[in-house]
Amino acid sequence: MKVYLDNSATTRCFDEVAQLMMQVMCRDYGNPSSLHHKGVEAEHYIRYALETLAKILKVNEKEIIFTSGGTEADNIAIIGTAMANHRMGRHLITTQIEHPAVIQTMRYLEDQGFRVTYLPVDGQGRIRLEDLQKAICKETILVSIMHTNNEIGTLQPIAEAGELIKKMNPMTAFHVDAVQGFGKFRIYPSRMKIDLLSVSAHKIHGPKGVGFLYKNEKCKVSPIIYGGGQQKGMRSGTENVPGIAGLAKASELIYQNLDADMERLYALREMFIQGVSQIEDVKVNGCMGDESASHIVSLSVRGVRSEVLLHALEDRDIYVSAGSACSSNKPQPSATLKAIGIEKDLLESTIRFSFSVFTTKEEIQYTLQTLNEMIPELRRYKRH
Amino acid sequence: MDREACLRQVSLSEMPALYRSMQDNRKEMDMFTSFLIKYAEIGVKGKNRYLFEDALVKQIRHALKKCDGEFQVRKTDGRIYVDAVSAFDFEDTVEMLKKVFGVSGICPVIVAEDEGFEKLGERVVKYIDEIYPDKHKTFKVAARRARKNYPLNSMEINTQIGGILLDAYPDMRVDVHKPDIMLHIEIRDKIYLYSEIIPGPGGMPVGTGGKAMLLLSGGIDSPVAGYMVAKRGVKIDAVYFHAPPYTSERAKQKVVDLAKKVAQYTGPIYLHVINFTDIQMYIYDKCPHDELTIIMRRYMMRIAEHIAKETECLGLITGESIGQVASQTMQSLAVTNEVCELPVYRPLIGFDKMEIVEISEKIDTYETSILPYEDCCTIFVAKHPVTKPNLKIIKRHEQNLTEKIEELVQTALDTDELIIVS
């Protein structure tokens, strides 16, 4: 049995998505900017994508900008907002547990003379609204908070934060990195006061290299890529038509059955957590129940280095991710794990399991059984 | 599936001939269609000389397979020529030739039809102008008349061409002792013109010195050690010890990548990958922890020697340098060496780290070597490993292993994974 539990890294493409993309690449391969029939054909796919995504988010089609993925969407949202609004203020707010696509972009803006506040989180990885309230000032042009944490699965109080931000400073834009949340939850930007929302296709069984940014019409954002003026000048460059078609198809499929799928995934997660809690000295990081995403479980296994556990599991055809990408030569413990105040000797012993709609009960059982056998064995050997 | 296999599956059948276009930017090199290969040391090997020359020809042919274009490599009149018989990339070809051991110099040659002496003079004048825009140089003409029915003899060619050049370029001067430009003109079936010598790597052609087994770890030192021994004409095979799940597949891929870099100089390398986990764990369980590394290394040497003997290698090569780490003190080296019958070559023994790094940068292994993947020597290393091991004590502790170790070593040898890297 091959058990792929690294779905927060990337997911298997839906067959329908791959087929549709093949069709776009080989049959309807026109450039949507071309005036002839081939171009019109290609444009149909873009329209289909805009319609589909606008319907899922309950937004206007004009508010969708296709990008090369989550990272680019985050970059446009953050740098673009900063560039367009720097006369109104030079202060931005984010959290300590964002994805590098946000954190590193913020660091870049700091080098450019902007001021950035990094909100701390509690032991479960949630921000406190009081901290956010205190941080917002007249100068604040953007708040960026992730929807679902990619390492521990914690959900942030997005709707409450949106409400608070607009109450404190109506001019402040609200960006949400929903790369791990889209396709798992129903997210309605206008109701949650979200101005900017980043999404990636390959986390929801779509292709790599494509994603989108939702941008509220009223929100002022400068482009960061210049060229032929496609997508109303917001993101120049010939549209990635097969990718965009695949993104839309994947979104359509993932939202088709969302409630039933999520119910099943939460049950699997619960079962998995129950199972691993039986193993001595294994700790689950983050939240329980519906305060967490349904698809991520972060475990700290005392006395076993995450890389070793990862390769040992790989040996039994179970694919997971090390909680913090590190090696003995260059230890770089993850910022998220540090921010939730995890013990120092557990930092390098943390591993992430992430599920998808393809994950089955049998796979979880097999994984539990394997962990039960493997962990005591691996604990015998260690560095002195 | 290794990387090669992954890439092969997706590669399109028609690869565009990208590199052809590069030549358009290199007009001035287009005139060279041949290279004269100079070899220093192998010239003096007496009756064995032809063996060395044949090996060199073989190595050059092998190296040029990776270049765009078709080449003929021929041995005539005690010289080796590389003739391009199709369009080719001058720079890539020179880079490749610079990696063939035994080559001491590479001379780009112009091959011209014999259309009479007057035309030859014109060609030489043009040649000098193309290669040396600055004419404030001294020169000497060195003609060689292999085709004896040519109307002028060597001395006459020297003086007359010299005169033509002096007339054409008044700034040039003759210096027969230490000229800036040594212009060679060889009269054969065609006329060969050359004056520049690009230095080669020296050494001796790989394959003339037998074969040795390199212990390749993934660090900085061992690829350099392999390079240095190969330079003396020795063919290289390699052995790598991995310890899954404690070392990752990426660590193994890194070693394959390193072997590939070394193989640019040595020709194809047979890389043996040995699964060392069970042996390592057994030693961990049975022996004092501070002796783990040294005992492990003794088993690595035993296994490497076993494969070496089976594959007709005449020695082992390691990247050890005295005192670099605990397992490379004089005492540790003596204890590790004790298990081997074959000679163990340690070409870096007297090198400082910086000197080794310098060579690794030159042969382009450094960047790969410093990728941060753990190898099996570091995963369970003790905080304070023994630096002055005592052979008697080590041997006594190895007694603890008698029950199962032979079986484990045999299993490791039986599951040897062979990767041919070129």
Side-chain angles (χ1 to χ4, degrees), chain B residues 178-195:
Chain B
K178 278 193 159 180
D180 298 330
I181 305 168
M182 178 72 108
L183 177 66
H184 296 268
I185 302 174
E186 295 187 7
I187 313 288
R188 298 172 186 275
D189 51 336
K190 287 180 184 168
I191 292 171
Y192 295 75
L193 270 183
Y194 63 92
S195 59

Side-chain angles (χ1 to χ4, degrees), chain A residues 384, chain B residues 283-284 287-296 326-327 332 380-389 393-394 397:
Chain A
H384 286 269
Chain B
I283 301 172
Y284 185 100
C287 298
H289 195 63
D290 59 353
E291 288 169 8
L292 172 66
T293 308
I294 195 85
I295 295 176
M296 254 172 58
S327 62
S332 296
F380 296 117
V381 70
K383 225 173 227 141
H384 299 290
V386 284
T387 52
K388 291 177 182 158
I393 298 173
I394 296 283
H397 288 148

Side-chain angles (χ1 to χ4, degrees), chain A residues 24 28-47 66 230-231 237-242 244:
Chain A
V24 177
D28 306 329
Y29 50 80
N31 183 331
S33 298
S34 293
L35 294 177
H36 49 65
H37 179 61
K38 273 281 178 211
V40 177
E41 240 171 38
E43 207 192 333
H44 284 320
Y45 290 96
I46 306 279
R47 289 212 182 156
F66 296 110
Q230 288 88 343
Q231 306 203 53
T238 298
E239 294 89 337
N240 172 4
V241 187
I244 290 167

Side-chain angles (χ1 to χ4, degrees), chain A residues 161-205:
Chain A
E163 201 68 48
L164 179 65
I165 293 163
K166 295 298 164 186
K167 198 180 86 192
M168 299 297 295
N169 183 352
M171 303 305 283
T172 306
F174 184 26
H175 169 241
V176 172
D177 176 352
V179 167
Q180 295 291 344
F182 184 83
K184 312 290 189 305
F185 299 93
R186 294 189 202 283
I187 304 172
Y188 302 127
S190 55
R191 295 180 198 175
M192 298 171 157
K193 308 275 192 284
I194 298 170
D195 299 304
L196 299 151
L197 184 92
S198 307
V199 171
S200 169
H202 75 107
K203 311 285 191 195
I204 55 161
H205 309 281

